[in-house]
Amino acid sequence: MFEELKDKASDLMENENVKEVVEKATEFISSEKGKEVIETVKEKAEEFIKDKFGK
């Protein structure tokens, strides 16, 4: 199953639109704003998990 997923991912990366989206997402994640967004999402996810599943 893992090999099948790797093959599908490899095929997707040959698509120019997918390549462009991945490149832009990678650039955004590396930026200061992207890091802030990731940290905020992480904090919200942790709060949600605590609220739903925590004590």
Side-chain angles (χ1 to χ4, degrees):
M1 181 176 216
F2 180 71
E3 288 300 318
E4 185 179 329
L5 289 174
K6 268 181 38 178
D7 290 343
K8 287 183 180 183
S10 176
D11 289 345
L12 278 175
M13 287 306 294
E14 291 176 13
N15 180 306
E16 287 302 315
N17 290 334
V18 173
K19 273 185 187 177
E20 184 178 344
V21 169
V22 169
E23 287 171 4
K24 287 182 179 183
T26 301
E27 288 173 15
F28 178 72
I29 290 168
S30 299
S31 72
E32 284 305 311
K33 180 68 176 169
K35 290 176 184 175
E36 289 175 22
V37 169
I38 290 170
E39 190 59 35
T40 301
V41 170
K42 180 181 170 188
E43 290 170 3
K44 297 290 184 187
E46 288 171 349
E47 287 175 21
F48 175 80
I49 291 168
K50 280 183 183 176
D51 289 347
K52 295 294 179 185
F53 306 106
K55 294 181 181 178

